[in-house]
Amino acid sequence: MPYLNLESLAAVSAETFQQQRPYPWTRMQNTLTDQGWETLRASLPDMAHFQRMVGVKRAHGQAPHNRGILHYVEGMAVAPPWREFIAELHGPAYDAFLRRMLGFGPRQKYILTMEWYYAWQGCSVSPHCDARRKIATHIFFFANDQDWPRDWGGDILILDDEGRYKAHSAPGFEDLKVAASLDLRNNGSLLFQRTEHSWHGVRPLQAPRPDIYRKLFIVTINIPSFQVWWRRVRGKDPDGFPYKLAPRHGVAAGVPAD
């Protein structure tokens, strides 16, 4: 079964993406085939396998990003549709899409890392710019109108600091302008490129119960920097996770580094 909707990817303009303000971003609809999206949504990993990260201190005084995270490591136990989708993400069609959108030459090297993020009632993502090793991020949201009504929140906010803040700082939502509020439900996705002013965040979720989860799958495109190389020497991937699987549950051990 094909998962990526190649017609939708081909229709996205790289020029429009690069000219977008306040930094390059594009919201895409039907990024996956209808059947592929439904199949992946029905076979998402169970929260029991996730590492709950609550109150984890962030750099620069930023508020914690409470969430459950399951970091993909090659060989880990995931449902067959997810194995097939991840194989597609490492294939030539997605590679060509990323190179076109990000302006990569044929010899530009990059490393993909992937994780599932689940968040619950009250969780938020404080305004931040991603680490410099991250060239870009592609976010897939696996919920429809019944799973996650829009009045529960969860829009990804594209934020504009008007050049006033350093990436290594901690402005609040009230300090930044909302350039776009993106609803990714019903087979939407967001690709954005990291800059020194690529601020984004999510306001606190308003789900009625703490056992209802906002479910994302995130692909990060990393540049092979010295930091990435040094982590590899120590047996870690670009996000700071060990390459080896933990014995329990067959999931990746360790805590991610932003």
Side-chain angles (χ1 to χ4, degrees):
M1 175 196 305
Y3 293 90
L4 291 168
N5 185 339
L6 300 185
E7 289 185 4
S8 290
L9 295 184
V12 182
S13 167
E15 182 178 5
T16 301
F17 172 76
Q18 288 295 335
Q19 292 177 352
Q20 187 66 271
R21 296 292 177 266
Y23 53 87
W25 65 270
T26 184
R27 182 202 179 281
M28 294 172 278
Q29 190 61 39
N30 299 321
T31 318
L32 305 175
T33 64
D34 290 344
Q35 185 179 1
W37 186 77
E38 291 288 0
T39 301
L40 291 170
R41 188 169 70 90
S43 56
L44 284 159
D46 190 275
M47 183 63 173
H49 299 302
F50 284 58
Q51 180 180 12
R52 283 183 178 262
M53 302 180 64
V54 177
V56 178
K57 185 177 180 181
R58 290 179 59 81
H60 324 303
Q62 295 172 1
H65 293 175
N66 294 342
R67 63 201 175 193
I69 184 169
L70 178 60
H71 191 75
Y72 176 74
V73 176
E74 186 175 357
M76 71 186 299
V78 295
W82 280 97
R83 287 202 304 269
E84 295 164 2
F85 177 46
I86 289 169
E88 259 191 53
L89 293 173
H90 284 103
Y94 192 65
D95 173 73
F97 168 72
L98 291 179
R99 290 184 185 278
R100 179 172 65 85
M101 297 299 292
L102 302 175
F104 289 170
R107 296 187 178 181
Q108 171 70 53
K109 294 183 178 181
Y110 63 86
I111 303 168
L112 297 182
T113 52
M114 306 174 191
E115 51 265 318
W116 294 265
Y117 280 3
Y118 291 3
W120 52 89
Q121 181 188 71
C123 291
S124 65
V125 178
S126 60
H128 67 288
C129 295
D130 289 338
R132 290 190 176 98
R133 72 177 182 280
K134 299 181 179 182
I135 302 171
T137 301
H138 195 175
I139 301 174
F140 299 83
F141 192 4
F142 286 94
N144 58 23
D145 296 328
Q146 290 71 45
D147 297 331
W148 192 273
R150 196 174 186 191
D151 60 6
W152 292 358
D155 280 17
I156 297 176
L157 303 181
I158 301 294
L159 302 169
D160 187 359
D161 72 344
E162 299 180 305
R164 293 180 295 138
Y165 295 97
K166 295 181 179 180
H168 292 169
S169 61
F173 286 107
E174 68 279 4
D175 300 313
L176 306 168
K177 290 186 175 181
V178 177
S181 182
L182 305 177
D183 175 12
L184 302 184
R185 298 170 310 142
N186 300 304
N187 198 5
S189 74
L190 166 67
L191 176 71
F192 69 90
Q193 193 162 351
R194 193 266 176 202
T195 74
E196 288 297 298
H197 299 279
S198 54
W199 296 93
H200 55 286
V202 179
R203 296 187 187 277
L205 302 179
Q206 303 298 318
R209 304 195 316 268
D211 60 342
I212 302 174
Y213 302 117
R214 173 180 176 267
K215 299 178 179 181
L216 303 179
F217 182 68
I218 299 180
V219 179
T220 303
I221 300 92
N222 301 274
I223 190 169
S225 63
F226 175 80
Q227 180 194 48
V228 170
W229 172 83
W230 181 239
R231 283 180 174 169
R232 189 177 186 90
V233 167
R234 293 182 293 157
K236 297 182 178 181
D237 73 7
D239 290 329
F241 282 89
Y243 279 113
K244 285 187 176 182
L245 296 177
R248 194 167 67 93
H249 300 312
V251 301
V255 175
D258 284 333

